[in-house]
Amino acid sequence: MMRTANPVLSDSTFRGLSAAAGERSMTIQGTVNRSIVLLLLLLLSAAWTWRLYYATHDAASVSVWLLVGAVGGLIVAVVTAFKKEWSPLLAPVYALLEGLVLGGISSILEGQYPGIVIQAVGLTFGTLFCLLMAYKSGLIGATEKFKLGVMGATGGIALFYLVTMVLGFFGIGIPYIHESGLIGIGFSLFVVVVTALNLVLDFDFIEQETASGAPSYIKWYGAFGLMVTLVWLYLEILRLLSKMMSRRN
């Protein structure tokens, strides 16, 4: 049984799905093409909030858009996970909403730490390229133990973030982890590594399901799953870099 730590590319995602007779099936190239489309849509909306912030240099000018993007993106992601046949419509909406979030956060952090965004973008796509090459060359194999390890680490991180959020509602903060000290930087580095390894599982899962003949619309769902991981990876890299830059300052 194939596993992935990405919640939208779980074991049950494609279970029982196969292209009907005469219907076009999922392809790797089709998924790549749709991933590029989603990336362009994300960049389009990110440019909007980026320009909005730099027109005022006031975080309040993008706060509403950050909220819309974060809440809307979460809702769309959950709906898409349960209604994958809607992914050709919802995946582009998710990309646009997440772009609002990434553009707003990136512009604010760029104002505080000049150069952080280009570094985060370079590291994100550099990581994507390196892991893809390592996967295709067989240097990294998505074995069962590898998958279970990444799933366990991802679940632990998700639980930790949930507890942190709940405690935050009561004004309770977890010391060191979110600070720019060595513990905080080490934690962020660990999260970045785990997030990046999710890409390997996504590559493997999409490749396996393509071979099994999943229906054509799953190309959009596969691209959506990759976008979820890339957005998470970029945000965690931003978090790591901001801690490191804050420490230097």
Side-chain angles (χ1 to χ4, degrees):
M1 181 179 293
M2 303 305 297
R3 290 187 176 94
T4 173
N6 189 328
V8 301
L9 294 179
S10 61
D11 285 344
S12 60
T13 297
F14 302 110
R15 186 176 298 156
L17 294 178
S18 59
E23 181 185 359
R24 300 178 67 180
S25 59
M26 180 182 181
T27 63
I28 294 291
Q29 187 58 53
T31 304
V32 170
N33 292 342
R34 283 152 183 79
S35 298
I36 294 173
V37 171
L38 295 185
L39 178 61
L40 291 175
L41 290 174
L42 184 147
L43 291 175
L44 180 64
S45 58
W48 160 255
T49 45
W50 177 281
R51 293 183 60 185
L52 189 62
Y53 172 78
Y54 273 97
T56 61
H57 291 277
D58 183 4
S61 64
V62 296
S63 59
V64 173
W65 295 107
L66 283 173
L67 182 61
V68 169
V71 175
L74 178 61
I75 293 173
V76 170
V78 171
V79 173
T80 306
F82 284 98
K83 288 289 186 178
K84 43 193 164 289
E85 63 272 20
W86 294 358
S87 56
L89 173 64
L90 295 182
V93 174
Y94 172 81
L96 288 169
L97 289 169
E98 287 302 309
L100 295 176
V101 176
L102 266 58
I105 293 177
S106 297
S107 60
I108 294 172
L109 287 177
E110 180 68 20
Q112 296 176 349
Y113 310 108
I116 190 174
V117 170
I118 190 64
Q119 292 182 47
V121 170
L123 286 171
T124 300
F125 285 99
T127 301
L128 172 65
F129 177 78
C130 290
L131 285 176
L132 179 59
M133 292 300 100
Y135 172 74
K136 296 300 291 183
S137 67
L139 185 62
I140 296 179
T143 64
E144 195 69 12
K145 289 183 178 180
F146 178 89
K147 296 170 188 175
L148 289 173
V150 175
M151 287 176 66
T154 302
I157 292 169
L159 179 60
F160 176 80
Y161 280 163
L162 178 61
V163 171
T164 301
M165 182 175 65
V166 172
L167 291 177
F169 290 142
F170 298 97
I172 302 174
I174 298 179
Y176 305 117
I177 295 297
H178 300 296
E179 298 173 5
S180 59
L182 293 179
I183 294 177
I185 291 175
F187 175 77
S188 288
L189 183 59
F190 169 74
V191 176
V192 167
V193 171
V194 172
T195 308
L197 292 178
N198 273 272
L199 289 171
V200 176
L201 303 191
D202 296 342
F203 299 152
D204 179 74
F205 198 86
I206 291 173
E207 185 175 63
Q208 294 295 329
E209 295 306 321
T210 298
S212 71
S216 183
Y217 68 82
I218 299 299
K219 289 181 284 192
W220 280 106
Y221 196 88
F224 164 70
L226 284 175
M227 182 62 60
V228 170
T229 305
L230 283 174
V231 167
W232 182 27
L233 178 60
Y234 174 75
L235 288 174
E236 293 298 345
I237 288 176
L238 266 183
R239 189 196 304 269
L240 173 61
L241 290 175
S242 66
K243 288 180 179 180
M244 296 173 66
M245 291 181 175
S246 175
R247 184 177 177 83
R248 288 203 300 264
N249 293 340

